[in-house]
Amino acid sequence: MAFHGSARPAVCGNLFPAADLGHKYFCVNSSGSTAACSGLNGSQNPAGPSQPAETPRHPATVGGSTGGGAAVPQPHSSPASEVPCPAEMEPDRPIGYGAFGVVWSVTDPRDGRKVALKKMPNVFQNLVSCKRVFRELRMLCFFKHDNVLSALDILQPPQIDCFEEIYVITELMQSDLHKVIVSPQPLTTDHIKVFLYQILRGLKYLHSAGILHRDIKPGNLLVNSNCLLKICDFGLARVEEPDSSRHMTQEVVTQYYRAPEVLMGSRHYGSAIDIWSVGCIFAELLGRRILFQAQSPIQQLDLITDLLGTPPLTAMASACEGARAHILRGPHKPPSLSVLYMLSDGATHEAVHLLCRMLVFDPAKRISGSDALSHPYLDEGRLRYHTCMCKCCYSVPSGRVYTRDFEPAAERPFSHSYEESMLSVWQGKELIHRFITEHQQGKRVPLCINPQSAAFKSFIRSTAWHSSKVSRKEER
């Protein structure tokens, strides 16, 4: 089930195919200094593949059936275990911009693999920015899940007086779900089920760790041609707030995927906002178009009520007065959920039933990620994923050996108690510098940026351009 056009285009040689073409993008730093290295001899020390955390077993049943007529996902092959030959390697280049950073595709000189390098700029502008970046960094190092992007490495920081930005290396994925949706690539029911299953599987893990993503959208769902999916971009993520009296920022989630409670000015929300976003993406996968595409937040709310009908007062209990008044002064709207069957031929009764459980106006009545995974619509997606795509199960001559837990929760909640000790930007800088240094101990030969690299200069320019365009308000 490879995507059409998924093969990488041919390029006229690698950006750094030989030493005589200039400085490398990275320095392999074994001495602790940040000076440019003259060679890469003895630097290769690739980390071995991670082993499944749990002992697998044969399940009594997985659920669903193999179906018929549709292509089956190709067997999973981890990009991290493949070293491309020079003819297949693309030049270092920008591949995306997150909520608060720029991402490049670069080559790791230690093993020749293409990886994603994310720069987190302007880290120490103020205490809010410092806490936000440290939170994202710790999350990326905390995650241990096949459907959630995590940090492979962090580049060695300079002396603390010169420490201004952070560089994180993650796995390089081939595309994202937005590009797939708007492409001519056919999406079968099996594609949709496998994608939706992985999104919810990753979200269950995040929510069990107490983490709200707060920006789930197709562009933040990375995919490979074998349909493996990973949730990325945690620039807006935060720990769930148990105290409902504590106000949370409303400057979250791209508008088309924003839950009604956020649109209506609720000062407190929970993991249900991520489920709403998944529902919007589910409908977009079925119909190949954005479900609620409005020009303003007010119009966005109007489109939602056109579909779901006028909500009861109990569903607007946390809304601000202006939003509640806007809903009440308009004409009463009946629900028109039957139009969801018109999204595509794939909008079956099971699909629409699950979609309607996600697109519920009242967050208290919206389905959870765990319950959504138990819906019969996802049985085939679970079967296909664990039959040939996952790392938690494996094949033996006698058959397939399955893991004990198909959708594992986090082993422990993500803690943000460290933020209590960050009372100043300098304290934050010291904490982050110490965290990165300790994270690198006993691991691979550390990398640092070579500022003399021509690619680095382009990287800096693209970062500066992006920073001038970003006008988001940061959470207090």
Side-chain angles (χ1 to χ4, degrees), residues 76-92:
H76 172 75
S77 176
S78 173
S81 64
E82 299 172 357
V83 180
C85 66
E88 296 174 338
M89 295 170 62
E90 295 179 351
D92 296 351

Side-chain angles (χ1 to χ4, degrees), residues 175-179 216-222 232-233 257 281:
S175 189
D176 61 60
L177 208 54
H178 169 71
K179 294 174 183 175
I216 296 290
K217 60 182 179 180
N220 285 341
L221 302 172
L222 304 179
C232 75
D233 197 349
Y257 310 94
I281 294 169

Side-chain angles (χ1 to χ4, degrees), residues 397-432:
S398 59
R400 187 75 170 168
V401 182
Y402 291 89
T403 180
R404 287 192 177 93
D405 190 357
F406 290 113
E407 293 94 36
E411 294 182 357
R412 64 186 187 280
F414 177 78
S415 173
H416 65 299
S417 58
Y418 59 88
E419 293 187 11
E420 298 174 0
S421 60
M422 294 177 64
L423 304 178
S424 68
V425 171
W426 181 256
Q427 282 182 321
K429 180 179 284 194
E430 288 181 322
L431 280 171
I432 296 174

Side-chain angles (χ1 to χ4, degrees), residues 114-184:
K114 296 297 289 187
V115 293
L117 177 70
K118 178 172 182 177
K119 178 181 180 180
M120 299 177 176
N122 308 319
V123 177
F124 307 111
Q125 281 189 330
N126 52 61
L127 186 58
V128 172
S129 174
C130 194
K131 287 184 176 182
R132 175 190 56 75
V133 172
F134 195 22
R135 182 190 307 156
E136 181 180 4
L137 185 65
R138 291 183 69 103
M139 285 181 180
L140 288 171
C141 295
F142 172 86
F143 297 145
K144 298 291 184 289
H145 193 276
D146 289 342
N147 301 122
V148 179
L149 195 70
S150 58
L152 298 177
D153 204 350
I154 309 172
L155 268 59
Q156 184 171 358
Q159 295 287 342
I160 193 167
D161 291 337
C162 305
F163 185 37
E164 297 297 335
E165 59 260 335
I166 298 169
Y167 299 87
V168 182
I169 293 176
T170 65
E171 182 179 337
L172 179 64
M173 303 287 282
Q174 291 172 301
S175 189
D176 61 60
L177 208 54
H178 169 71
K179 294 174 183 175
V180 172
I181 291 172
V182 301
S183 75

Side-chain angles (χ1 to χ4, degrees), residues 333-345:
K333 300 177 184 178
S336 56
L337 293 168
S338 59
V339 302
L340 295 175
Y341 287 98
M342 302 172 62
L343 287 171
S344 68
D345 293 339

